[in-house]
Amino acid sequence: MKNFMQTSASVLMISLLCGVLANQPAMADDDGDDIQKMTETAKAFGFISWEDAQSKALAAKPGVVKEVELERRKFKSGWDYEVEIVDAEGAEWEVYIDAKTGKVNSVNRDWF
């Protein structure tokens, strides 16, 4: 019975991990397909471009852009660009830009 419980827990964890990985947002880093998907989504919904979001994020938090993602908000309607930035001291930051208006919604230090 103990082995059955451990096996069941392992299968559940693997299933959850696969579900999370399959539901990832579009990213703009090295993959041209992801950039194309993000660009198409932005055009379809009338959003600002990921390049504009990146510029607005850098104005809010200077540094080097590590990654840009277009994400649907979890708790309220709408979409954000999440721009990951590394500052001059090497600290990582997440800047959230409203995809529709271009407004900076938040600037948070990434502690992980």
Side-chain angles (χ1 to χ4, degrees), residues 5-111:
M5 295 292 283
Q6 289 175 337
T7 302
S8 296
S10 296
V11 169
L12 177 63
M13 292 302 290
I14 291 170
S15 298
L16 289 172
L17 180 61
C18 289
V20 167
L21 292 175
N23 198 17
Q24 291 297 309
M27 295 184 289
D29 47 15
D30 295 345
D31 191 350
D33 290 339
D34 290 338
I35 293 171
Q36 183 178 353
K37 287 179 191 175
M38 192 167 27
T39 301
E40 289 170 0
T41 301
K43 284 182 182 177
F45 289 110
F47 297 156
I48 65 170
S49 69
W50 67 269
E51 296 96 341
D52 288 342
Q54 179 175 300
S55 295
K56 291 178 182 295
L58 286 170
K61 186 61 174 167
V64 176
V65 173
K66 183 177 172 184
E67 186 174 46
V68 178
E69 298 176 336
L70 178 58
E71 300 180 325
R72 187 182 305 240
R73 292 186 197 122
K74 292 180 175 80
F75 299 109
K76 57 182 180 175
S77 64
W79 292 71
D80 284 326
Y81 284 100
E82 177 187 344
V83 183
E84 294 182 22
I85 296 175
V86 178
D87 68 14
E89 288 79 40
E92 294 188 21
W93 295 82
E94 294 176 345
V95 181
Y96 291 90
I97 307 294
D98 185 293
K100 191 72 170 172
T101 66
K103 176 184 170 232
V104 176
N105 284 334
S106 66
V107 178
N108 302 310
R109 175 118 187 242
D110 188 2
W111 295 99

